[in-house]
Amino acid sequence: HQILEGVEYIHRNKVCHRDLKPENLLLDENMNIKIVDFGLSNTYNLPTDTLKTACGSPCYASPEMVAGKRYVGLDTDIWSMGVILYAMTVGYLPFEDPDTNKLYKKILNCDYLVPGYVEKSAKDMMKCILCVEPKKRYTLD
């Protein structure tokens, strides 16, 4: 919930992070999440503004970024949050491969499996966030 609120806050302030991952989510002394490392972030004027630079950690990169297409920064942050949700729920990343080309192919095809012990509601949420088509992907709302 705190991650969601934090990302909502930065988006409301017209910033997309572009490198959301567990290493950039810290806990303070009161167990509050702090989003850090805005080195790859970018600002925007309209929520529909697009970017071209592929950046961030490959395992958390959205399909549109991996494909080299122009992308909406807000949509890529949502994708990364889906990868984080998966990792927090399952204990490992949905898309992994030491070969970057194979990793990108898995991301582009949304080729991942959710273990059977994950509740249906969580699986459904992951499916709606880890959606290859950005316009069909869940939004913060």
mmCIF file of all heavy atoms in Angstrom, residues 18-67:
data_model
loop_
_atom_site.group_PDB
_atom_site.id
_atom_site.type_symbol
_atom_site.label_atom_id
_atom_site.label_comp_id
_atom_site.label_asym_id
_atom_site.label_seq_id
_atom_site.Cartn_x
_atom_site.Cartn_y
_atom_site.Cartn_z
ATOM 1 N N ARG A 18 11.079 5.171 -13.388
ATOM 2 C CA ARG A 18 11.736 4.354 -14.415
ATOM 3 C C ARG A 18 12.770 3.364 -13.896
ATOM 4 O O ARG A 18 13.422 2.700 -14.685
ATOM 5 C CB ARG A 18 12.358 5.222 -15.518
ATOM 6 C CG ARG A 18 11.346 6.069 -16.254
ATOM 7 C CD ARG A 18 11.851 6.591 -17.546
ATOM 8 N NE ARG A 18 13.070 7.381 -17.410
ATOM 9 C CZ ARG A 18 13.708 7.905 -18.444
ATOM 10 N NH1 ARG A 18 13.270 7.709 -19.664
ATOM 11 N NH2 ARG A 18 14.798 8.622 -18.254
ATOM 12 N N ASP A 19 12.904 3.228 -12.590
ATOM 13 C CA ASP A 19 13.820 2.211 -12.052
ATOM 14 C C ASP A 19 13.284 1.662 -10.729
ATOM 15 O O ASP A 19 14.033 1.469 -9.773
ATOM 16 C CB ASP A 19 15.226 2.786 -11.878
ATOM 17 C CG ASP A 19 16.284 1.707 -11.681
ATOM 18 O OD1 ASP A 19 16.042 0.548 -12.092
ATOM 19 O OD2 ASP A 19 17.349 2.013 -11.111
ATOM 20 N N LEU A 20 11.970 1.426 -10.695
ATOM 21 C CA LEU A 20 11.378 0.865 -9.482
ATOM 22 C C LEU A 20 11.773 -0.599 -9.351
ATOM 23 O O LEU A 20 11.633 -1.377 -10.295
ATOM 24 C CB LEU A 20 9.847 0.991 -9.521
ATOM 25 C CG LEU A 20 9.303 2.405 -9.402
ATOM 26 C CD1 LEU A 20 7.802 2.410 -9.691
ATOM 27 C CD2 LEU A 20 9.582 2.988 -8.027
ATOM 28 N N LYS A 21 12.305 -0.931 -8.193
ATOM 29 C CA LYS A 21 12.709 -2.298 -7.871
ATOM 30 C C LYS A 21 12.916 -2.341 -6.358
ATOM 31 O O LYS A 21 13.047 -1.288 -5.716
ATOM 32 C CB LYS A 21 13.995 -2.685 -8.617
ATOM 33 C CG LYS A 21 15.168 -1.753 -8.347
ATOM 34 C CD LYS A 21 16.352 -2.098 -9.217
ATOM 35 C CE LYS A 21 17.494 -1.107 -8.998
ATOM 36 N NZ LYS A 21 18.630 -1.407 -9.861
ATOM 37 N N PRO A 22 12.932 -3.524 -5.775
ATOM 38 C CA PRO A 22 13.054 -3.609 -4.308
ATOM 39 C C PRO A 22 14.268 -2.872 -3.741
ATOM 40 O O PRO A 22 14.191 -2.295 -2.660
ATOM 41 C CB PRO A 22 13.145 -5.115 -4.050
ATOM 42 C CG PRO A 22 12.389 -5.723 -5.188
ATOM 43 C CD PRO A 22 12.695 -4.837 -6.378
ATOM 44 N N GLU A 23 15.378 -2.869 -4.476
ATOM 45 C CA GLU A 23 16.581 -2.180 -3.993
ATOM 46 C C GLU A 23 16.377 -0.677 -3.850
ATOM 47 O O GLU A 23 17.136 -0.018 -3.137
ATOM 48 C CB GLU A 23 17.773 -2.421 -4.944
ATOM 49 C CG GLU A 23 18.200 -3.867 -5.031
ATOM 50 C CD GLU A 23 17.479 -4.671 -6.110
ATOM 51 O OE1 GLU A 23 16.347 -4.309 -6.499
ATOM 52 O OE2 GLU A 23 18.036 -5.676 -6.563
ATOM 53 N N ASN A 24 15.366 -0.134 -4.535
ATOM 54 C CA ASN A 24 15.079 1.303 -4.462
ATOM 55 C C ASN A 24 13.891 1.601 -3.554
ATOM 56 O O ASN A 24 13.307 2.681 -3.617
ATOM 57 C CB ASN A 24 14.858 1.872 -5.864
ATOM 58 C CG ASN A 24 16.153 1.922 -6.651
ATOM 59 O OD1 ASN A 24 17.227 1.952 -6.070
ATOM 60 N ND2 ASN A 24 16.050 1.915 -7.961
ATOM 61 N N LEU A 25 13.520 0.639 -2.731
ATOM 62 C CA LEU A 25 12.453 0.807 -1.743
ATOM 63 C C LEU A 25 13.064 0.544 -0.371
ATOM 64 O O LEU A 25 13.430 -0.581 -0.058
ATOM 65 C CB LEU A 25 11.310 -0.177 -2.019
ATOM 66 C CG LEU A 25 10.682 -0.091 -3.413
ATOM 67 C CD1 LEU A 25 9.719 -1.246 -3.625
ATOM 68 C CD2 LEU A 25 9.992 1.248 -3.619
ATOM 69 N N LEU A 26 13.195 1.582 0.411
ATOM 70 C CA LEU A 26 13.821 1.469 1.724
ATOM 71 C C LEU A 26 12.783 1.607 2.826
ATOM 72 O O LEU A 26 11.728 2.200 2.626
ATOM 73 C CB LEU A 26 14.893 2.547 1.888
ATOM 74 C CG LEU A 26 15.967 2.614 0.807
ATOM 75 C CD1 LEU A 26 16.957 3.739 1.124
ATOM 76 C CD2 LEU A 26 16.685 1.290 0.663
ATOM 77 N N LEU A 27 13.106 1.074 3.988
ATOM 78 C CA LEU A 27 12.253 1.232 5.168
ATOM 79 C C LEU A 27 12.944 2.171 6.144
ATOM 80 O O LEU A 27 14.133 2.011 6.426
ATOM 81 C CB LEU A 27 12.029 -0.119 5.861
ATOM 82 C CG LEU A 27 11.076 -1.089 5.195
ATOM 83 C CD1 LEU A 27 11.110 -2.432 5.916
ATOM 84 C CD2 LEU A 27 9.671 -0.534 5.170
ATOM 85 N N ASP A 28 12.182 3.134 6.687
ATOM 86 C CA ASP A 28 12.761 3.996 7.712
ATOM 87 C C ASP A 28 12.560 3.362 9.086
ATOM 88 O O ASP A 28 12.048 2.240 9.197
ATOM 89 C CB ASP A 28 12.205 5.426 7.631
ATOM 90 C CG ASP A 28 10.734 5.549 8.031
ATOM 91 O OD1 ASP A 28 10.158 4.597 8.597
ATOM 92 O OD2 ASP A 28 10.167 6.632 7.795
ATOM 93 N N GLU A 29 12.951 4.065 10.130
ATOM 94 C CA GLU A 29 12.879 3.522 11.483
ATOM 95 C C GLU A 29 11.455 3.227 11.944
ATOM 96 O O GLU A 29 11.238 2.466 12.875
ATOM 97 C CB GLU A 29 13.580 4.461 12.484
ATOM 98 C CG GLU A 29 12.918 5.820 12.670
ATOM 99 C CD GLU A 29 13.289 6.849 11.586
ATOM 100 O OE1 GLU A 29 14.085 6.532 10.677
ATOM 101 O OE2 GLU A 29 12.748 7.964 11.646
ATOM 102 N N ASN A 30 10.460 3.812 11.255
ATOM 103 C CA ASN A 30 9.051 3.572 11.597
ATOM 104 C C ASN A 30 8.380 2.590 10.639
ATOM 105 O O ASN A 30 7.159 2.511 10.578
ATOM 106 C CB ASN A 30 8.279 4.897 11.611
ATOM 107 C CG ASN A 30 8.815 5.831 12.667
ATOM 108 O OD1 ASN A 30 9.008 5.434 13.815
ATOM 109 N ND2 ASN A 30 9.072 7.075 12.289
ATOM 110 N N MET A 31 9.209 1.876 9.860
ATOM 111 C CA MET A 31 8.725 0.881 8.895
ATOM 112 C C MET A 31 7.901 1.514 7.768
ATOM 113 O O MET A 31 6.986 0.899 7.234
ATOM 114 C CB MET A 31 7.920 -0.234 9.593
ATOM 115 C CG MET A 31 8.723 -0.991 10.635
ATOM 116 S SD MET A 31 10.208 -1.773 9.962
ATOM 117 C CE MET A 31 9.505 -3.153 9.119
ATOM 118 N N ASN A 32 8.249 2.741 7.408
ATOM 119 C CA ASN A 32 7.612 3.415 6.282
ATOM 120 C C ASN A 32 8.496 3.269 5.055
ATOM 121 O O ASN A 32 9.715 3.429 5.135
ATOM 122 C CB ASN A 32 7.397 4.900 6.585
ATOM 123 C CG ASN A 32 6.387 5.106 7.682
ATOM 124 O OD1 ASN A 32 5.295 4.546 7.656
ATOM 125 N ND2 ASN A 32 6.748 5.904 8.669
ATOM 126 N N ILE A 33 7.873 2.992 3.927
ATOM 127 C CA ILE A 33 8.589 2.856 2.656
ATOM 128 C C ILE A 33 9.052 4.222 2.170
ATOM 129 O O ILE A 33 8.287 5.189 2.194
ATOM 130 C CB ILE A 33 7.673 2.216 1.582
ATOM 131 C CG1 ILE A 33 7.348 0.769 1.928
ATOM 132 C CG2 ILE A 33 8.277 2.339 0.178
ATOM 133 C CD1 ILE A 33 8.421 -0.219 1.601
ATOM 134 N N LYS A 34 10.277 4.266 1.724
ATOM 135 C CA LYS A 34 10.843 5.457 1.083
ATOM 136 C C LYS A 34 11.339 5.031 -0.289
ATOM 137 O O LYS A 34 12.125 4.088 -0.406
ATOM 138 C CB LYS A 34 12.016 6.028 1.891
ATOM 139 C CG LYS A 34 11.677 6.416 3.310
ATOM 140 C CD LYS A 34 10.707 7.560 3.362
ATOM 141 C CE LYS A 34 10.404 7.935 4.803
ATOM 142 N NZ LYS A 34 9.333 8.883 4.917
ATOM 143 N N ILE A 35 10.853 5.712 -1.326
ATOM 144 C CA ILE A 35 11.308 5.432 -2.688
ATOM 145 C C ILE A 35 12.558 6.274 -2.925
ATOM 146 O O ILE A 35 12.552 7.483 -2.694
ATOM 147 C CB ILE A 35 10.217 5.759 -3.721
ATOM 148 C CG1 ILE A 35 8.962 4.911 -3.450
ATOM 149 C CG2 ILE A 35 10.730 5.537 -5.144
ATOM 150 C CD1 ILE A 35 7.762 5.277 -4.301
ATOM 151 N N VAL A 36 13.640 5.621 -3.375
ATOM 152 C CA VAL A 36 14.919 6.309 -3.568
ATOM 153 C C VAL A 36 15.452 6.101 -4.978
ATOM 154 O O VAL A 36 14.873 5.350 -5.763
ATOM 155 C CB VAL A 36 15.973 5.834 -2.530
ATOM 156 C CG1 VAL A 36 15.507 6.123 -1.115
ATOM 157 C CG2 VAL A 36 16.291 4.356 -2.698
ATOM 158 N N ASP A 37 16.579 6.731 -5.261
ATOM 159 C CA ASP A 37 17.324 6.629 -6.512
ATOM 160 C C ASP A 37 16.506 7.111 -7.708
ATOM 161 O O ASP A 37 16.006 6.328 -8.506
ATOM 162 C CB ASP A 37 17.838 5.213 -6.752
ATOM 163 C CG ASP A 37 18.853 5.166 -7.888
ATOM 164 O OD1 ASP A 37 19.126 6.224 -8.509
ATOM 165 O OD2 ASP A 37 19.370 4.076 -8.177
ATOM 166 N N PHE A 38 16.422 8.412 -7.818
ATOM 167 C CA PHE A 38 15.703 9.040 -8.921
ATOM 168 C C PHE A 38 16.638 9.401 -10.073
ATOM 169 O O PHE A 38 16.314 10.249 -10.900
ATOM 170 C CB PHE A 38 14.944 10.278 -8.412
ATOM 171 C CG PHE A 38 13.723 9.924 -7.610
ATOM 172 C CD1 PHE A 38 13.832 9.562 -6.279
ATOM 173 C CD2 PHE A 38 12.470 9.924 -8.196
ATOM 174 C CE1 PHE A 38 12.714 9.217 -5.540
ATOM 175 C CE2 PHE A 38 11.344 9.572 -7.464
ATOM 176 C CZ PHE A 38 11.462 9.224 -6.135
ATOM 177 N N GLY A 39 17.789 8.740 -10.126
ATOM 178 C CA GLY A 39 18.784 9.033 -11.153
ATOM 179 C C GLY A 39 18.321 8.788 -12.574
ATOM 180 O O GLY A 39 18.823 9.403 -13.511
ATOM 181 N N LEU A 40 17.365 7.893 -12.771
ATOM 182 C CA LEU A 40 16.839 7.606 -14.113
ATOM 183 C C LEU A 40 15.439 8.179 -14.328
ATOM 184 O O LEU A 40 14.830 7.950 -15.369
ATOM 185 C CB LEU A 40 16.816 6.088 -14.353
ATOM 186 C CG LEU A 40 18.189 5.414 -14.341
ATOM 187 C CD1 LEU A 40 18.037 3.901 -14.471
ATOM 188 C CD2 LEU A 40 19.076 5.955 -15.451
ATOM 189 N N SER A 41 14.956 8.911 -13.350
ATOM 190 C CA SER A 41 13.596 9.452 -13.446
ATOM 191 C C SER A 41 13.526 10.545 -14.506
ATOM 192 O O SER A 41 14.547 11.061 -14.973
ATOM 193 C CB SER A 41 13.139 9.992 -12.089
ATOM 194 O OG SER A 41 13.906 11.121 -11.726
ATOM 195 N N ASN A 42 12.309 10.880 -14.873
ATOM 196 C CA ASN A 42 12.081 11.933 -15.849
ATOM 197 C C ASN A 42 10.790 12.650 -15.486
ATOM 198 O O ASN A 42 9.919 12.061 -14.843
ATOM 199 C CB ASN A 42 11.991 11.335 -17.260
ATOM 200 C CG ASN A 42 12.410 12.312 -18.330
ATOM 201 O OD1 ASN A 42 12.260 13.523 -18.184
ATOM 202 N ND2 ASN A 42 12.938 11.790 -19.426
ATOM 203 N N THR A 43 10.697 13.884 -15.904
ATOM 204 C CA THR A 43 9.477 14.654 -15.656
ATOM 205 C C THR A 43 8.633 14.657 -16.924
ATOM 206 O O THR A 43 9.114 14.312 -18.011
ATOM 207 C CB THR A 43 9.810 16.102 -15.254
ATOM 208 O OG1 THR A 43 10.579 16.699 -16.298
ATOM 209 C CG2 THR A 43 10.587 16.137 -13.941
ATOM 210 N N TYR A 44 7.391 15.044 -16.777
ATOM 211 C CA TYR A 44 6.495 15.122 -17.924
ATOM 212 C C TYR A 44 5.500 16.248 -17.693
ATOM 213 O O TYR A 44 5.284 16.688 -16.554
ATOM 214 C CB TYR A 44 5.773 13.789 -18.156
ATOM 215 C CG TYR A 44 4.941 13.328 -16.983
ATOM 216 C CD1 TYR A 44 3.600 13.689 -16.876
ATOM 217 C CD2 TYR A 44 5.488 12.546 -15.973
ATOM 218 C CE1 TYR A 44 2.839 13.277 -15.794
ATOM 219 C CE2 TYR A 44 4.730 12.133 -14.896
ATOM 220 C CZ TYR A 44 3.402 12.501 -14.813
ATOM 221 O OH TYR A 44 2.656 12.097 -13.743
ATOM 222 N N ASN A 45 4.900 16.719 -18.765
ATOM 223 C CA ASN A 45 3.872 17.755 -18.664
ATOM 224 C C ASN A 45 2.488 17.134 -18.631
ATOM 225 O O ASN A 45 1.654 17.486 -17.817
ATOM 226 C CB ASN A 45 3.988 18.750 -19.827
ATOM 227 C CG ASN A 45 5.260 19.556 -19.734
ATOM 228 O OD1 ASN A 45 5.608 20.056 -18.672
ATOM 229 N ND2 ASN A 45 5.985 19.668 -20.837
ATOM 230 N N LEU A 46 2.250 16.205 -19.553
ATOM 231 C CA LEU A 46 0.967 15.510 -19.642
ATOM 232 C C LEU A 46 1.178 14.031 -19.345
ATOM 233 O O LEU A 46 2.210 13.470 -19.734
ATOM 234 C CB LEU A 46 0.363 15.664 -21.040
ATOM 235 C CG LEU A 46 0.059 17.089 -21.505
ATOM 236 C CD1 LEU A 46 -0.338 17.097 -22.970
ATOM 237 C CD2 LEU A 46 -1.054 17.690 -20.652
ATOM 238 N N PRO A 47 0.206 13.384 -18.709
ATOM 239 C CA PRO A 47 0.359 11.954 -18.414
ATOM 240 C C PRO A 47 0.555 11.083 -19.656
ATOM 241 O O PRO A 47 1.007 9.954 -19.551
ATOM 242 C CB PRO A 47 -0.952 11.594 -17.710
ATOM 243 C CG PRO A 47 -1.511 12.881 -17.234
ATOM 244 C CD PRO A 47 -1.024 13.938 -18.180
ATOM 245 N N THR A 48 0.243 11.622 -20.825
ATOM 246 C CA THR A 48 0.393 10.867 -22.072
ATOM 247 C C THR A 48 1.718 11.135 -22.771
ATOM 248 O O THR A 48 1.984 10.546 -23.826
ATOM 249 C CB THR A 48 -0.768 11.195 -23.030
ATOM 250 O OG1 THR A 48 -0.803 12.620 -23.222
ATOM 251 C CG2 THR A 48 -2.102 10.711 -22.479
ATOM 252 N N ASP A 49 2.554 12.019 -22.223
ATOM 253 C CA ASP A 49 3.860 12.299 -22.818
ATOM 254 C C ASP A 49 4.659 11.002 -22.919
ATOM 255 O O ASP A 49 4.616 10.170 -22.014
ATOM 256 C CB ASP A 49 4.651 13.305 -21.980
ATOM 257 C CG ASP A 49 4.115 14.726 -22.108
ATOM 258 O OD1 ASP A 49 3.240 14.966 -22.955
ATOM 259 O OD2 ASP A 49 4.592 15.594 -21.346
ATOM 260 N N THR A 50 5.399 10.863 -24.020
ATOM 261 C CA THR A 50 6.167 9.634 -24.214
ATOM 262 C C THR A 50 7.670 9.886 -24.106
ATOM 263 O O THR A 50 8.148 11.005 -24.273
ATOM 264 C CB THR A 50 5.865 8.993 -25.584
ATOM 265 O OG1 THR A 50 6.204 9.906 -26.624
ATOM 266 C CG2 THR A 50 4.410 8.585 -25.686
ATOM 267 N N LEU A 51 8.375 8.807 -23.818
ATOM 268 C CA LEU A 51 9.829 8.809 -23.680
ATOM 269 C C LEU A 51 10.400 7.761 -24.620
ATOM 270 O O LEU A 51 9.686 6.863 -25.072
ATOM 271 C CB LEU A 51 10.209 8.482 -22.239
ATOM 272 C CG LEU A 51 9.666 9.442 -21.178
ATOM 273 C CD1 LEU A 51 9.783 8.829 -19.797
ATOM 274 C CD2 LEU A 51 10.385 10.771 -21.246
ATOM 275 N N LYS A 52 11.690 7.834 -24.877
ATOM 276 C CA LYS A 52 12.325 6.885 -25.794
ATOM 277 C C LYS A 52 13.462 6.098 -25.143
ATOM 278 O O LYS A 52 13.725 4.957 -25.499
ATOM 279 C CB LYS A 52 12.853 7.646 -27.027
ATOM 280 C CG LYS A 52 13.542 6.797 -28.058
ATOM 281 C CD LYS A 52 12.586 5.898 -28.804
ATOM 282 C CE LYS A 52 13.324 5.164 -29.927
ATOM 283 N NZ LYS A 52 12.632 3.997 -30.381
ATOM 284 N N THR A 53 14.126 6.685 -24.147
ATOM 285 C CA THR A 53 15.315 6.069 -23.566
ATOM 286 C C THR A 53 14.982 4.797 -22.791
ATOM 287 O O THR A 53 14.167 4.830 -21.871
ATOM 288 C CB THR A 53 16.024 7.058 -22.620
ATOM 289 O OG1 THR A 53 16.270 8.260 -23.317
ATOM 290 C CG2 THR A 53 17.319 6.479 -22.099
ATOM 291 N N ALA A 54 15.615 3.706 -23.174
ATOM 292 C CA ALA A 54 15.488 2.465 -22.410
ATOM 293 C C ALA A 54 16.455 2.562 -21.233
ATOM 294 O O ALA A 54 17.629 2.865 -21.411
ATOM 295 C CB ALA A 54 15.819 1.264 -23.277
ATOM 296 N N CYS A 55 15.946 2.361 -20.040
ATOM 297 C CA CYS A 55 16.798 2.477 -18.857
ATOM 298 C C CYS A 55 16.211 1.639 -17.729
ATOM 299 O O CYS A 55 15.141 1.066 -17.855
ATOM 300 C CB CYS A 55 16.929 3.941 -18.440
ATOM 301 S SG CYS A 55 15.368 4.751 -18.099
ATOM 302 N N GLY A 56 16.924 1.586 -16.629
ATOM 303 C CA GLY A 56 16.464 0.815 -15.488
ATOM 304 C C GLY A 56 17.034 -0.593 -15.517
ATOM 305 O O GLY A 56 17.889 -0.929 -16.327
ATOM 306 N N SER A 57 16.546 -1.402 -14.608
ATOM 307 C CA SER A 57 17.012 -2.781 -14.478
ATOM 308 C C SER A 57 16.243 -3.675 -15.437
ATOM 309 O O SER A 57 15.013 -3.661 -15.426
ATOM 310 C CB SER A 57 16.826 -3.248 -13.042
ATOM 311 O OG SER A 57 17.540 -2.394 -12.177
ATOM 312 N N PRO A 58 16.932 -4.443 -16.269
ATOM 313 C CA PRO A 58 16.263 -5.237 -17.304
ATOM 314 C C PRO A 58 15.120 -6.122 -16.798
ATOM 315 O O PRO A 58 14.084 -6.215 -17.449
ATOM 316 C CB PRO A 58 17.390 -6.079 -17.896
ATOM 317 C CG PRO A 58 18.613 -5.264 -17.660
ATOM 318 C CD PRO A 58 18.391 -4.579 -16.343
ATOM 319 N N CYS A 59 15.268 -6.758 -15.652
ATOM 320 C CA CYS A 59 14.223 -7.666 -15.154
ATOM 321 C C CYS A 59 12.925 -6.935 -14.809
ATOM 322 O O CYS A 59 11.863 -7.548 -14.724
ATOM 323 C CB CYS A 59 14.718 -8.424 -13.923
ATOM 324 S SG CYS A 59 16.019 -9.607 -14.298
ATOM 325 N N TYR A 60 13.000 -5.625 -14.612
ATOM 326 C CA TYR A 60 11.832 -4.821 -14.231
ATOM 327 C C TYR A 60 11.325 -3.961 -15.383
ATOM 328 O O TYR A 60 10.356 -3.222 -15.232
ATOM 329 C CB TYR A 60 12.178 -3.924 -13.035
ATOM 330 C CG TYR A 60 12.517 -4.712 -11.800
ATOM 331 C CD1 TYR A 60 13.812 -5.166 -11.577
ATOM 332 C CD2 TYR A 60 11.539 -5.039 -10.870
ATOM 333 C CE1 TYR A 60 14.126 -5.918 -10.449
ATOM 334 C CE2 TYR A 60 11.846 -5.786 -9.743
ATOM 335 C CZ TYR A 60 13.139 -6.216 -9.543
ATOM 336 O OH TYR A 60 13.449 -6.973 -8.428
ATOM 337 N N ALA A 61 11.980 -4.037 -16.540
ATOM 338 C CA ALA A 61 11.638 -3.199 -17.689
ATOM 339 C C ALA A 61 10.348 -3.665 -18.349
ATOM 340 O O ALA A 61 10.093 -4.866 -18.481
ATOM 341 C CB ALA A 61 12.781 -3.213 -18.700
ATOM 342 N N SER A 62 9.558 -2.706 -18.787
ATOM 343 C CA SER A 62 8.287 -3.014 -19.446
ATOM 344 C C SER A 62 8.525 -3.489 -20.872
ATOM 345 O O SER A 62 9.559 -3.188 -21.477
ATOM 346 C CB SER A 62 7.392 -1.776 -19.457
ATOM 347 O OG SER A 62 7.970 -0.782 -20.290
ATOM 348 N N PRO A 63 7.557 -4.217 -21.437
ATOM 349 C CA PRO A 63 7.709 -4.712 -22.813
ATOM 350 C C PRO A 63 7.913 -3.588 -23.826
ATOM 351 O O PRO A 63 8.723 -3.727 -24.746
ATOM 352 C CB PRO A 63 6.397 -5.447 -23.081
ATOM 353 C CG PRO A 63 5.822 -5.734 -21.750
ATOM 354 C CD PRO A 63 6.313 -4.680 -20.819
ATOM 355 N N GLU A 64 7.201 -2.487 -23.657
ATOM 356 C CA GLU A 64 7.333 -1.397 -24.621
ATOM 357 C C GLU A 64 8.732 -0.767 -24.554
ATOM 358 O O GLU A 64 9.298 -0.367 -25.569
ATOM 359 C CB GLU A 64 6.232 -0.346 -24.440
ATOM 360 C CG GLU A 64 6.132 0.301 -23.081
ATOM 361 C CD GLU A 64 5.265 -0.421 -22.065
ATOM 362 O OE1 GLU A 64 5.048 -1.648 -22.191
ATOM 363 O OE2 GLU A 64 4.807 0.239 -21.119
ATOM 364 N N MET A 65 9.314 -0.718 -23.372
ATOM 365 C CA MET A 65 10.672 -0.193 -23.231
ATOM 366 C C MET A 65 11.673 -1.172 -23.855
ATOM 367 O O MET A 65 12.575 -0.771 -24.595
ATOM 368 C CB MET A 65 11.000 0.049 -21.761
ATOM 369 C CG MET A 65 12.336 0.729 -21.541
ATOM 370 S SD MET A 65 12.772 0.910 -19.797
ATOM 371 C CE MET A 65 11.746 2.278 -19.314
ATOM 372 N N VAL A 66 11.489 -2.458 -23.563
ATOM 373 C CA VAL A 66 12.367 -3.505 -24.100
ATOM 374 C C VAL A 66 12.309 -3.525 -25.630
ATOM 375 O O VAL A 66 13.320 -3.748 -26.295
ATOM 376 C CB VAL A 66 11.958 -4.881 -23.516
ATOM 377 C CG1 VAL A 66 12.568 -6.028 -24.290
ATOM 378 C CG2 VAL A 66 12.343 -4.959 -22.046
ATOM 379 N N ALA A 67 11.127 -3.260 -26.184
ATOM 380 C CA ALA A 67 10.944 -3.291 -27.639
ATOM 381 C C ALA A 67 11.541 -2.064 -28.325
ATOM 382 O O ALA A 67 11.590 -2.005 -29.552
ATOM 383 C CB ALA A 67 9.459 -3.407 -27.974
#
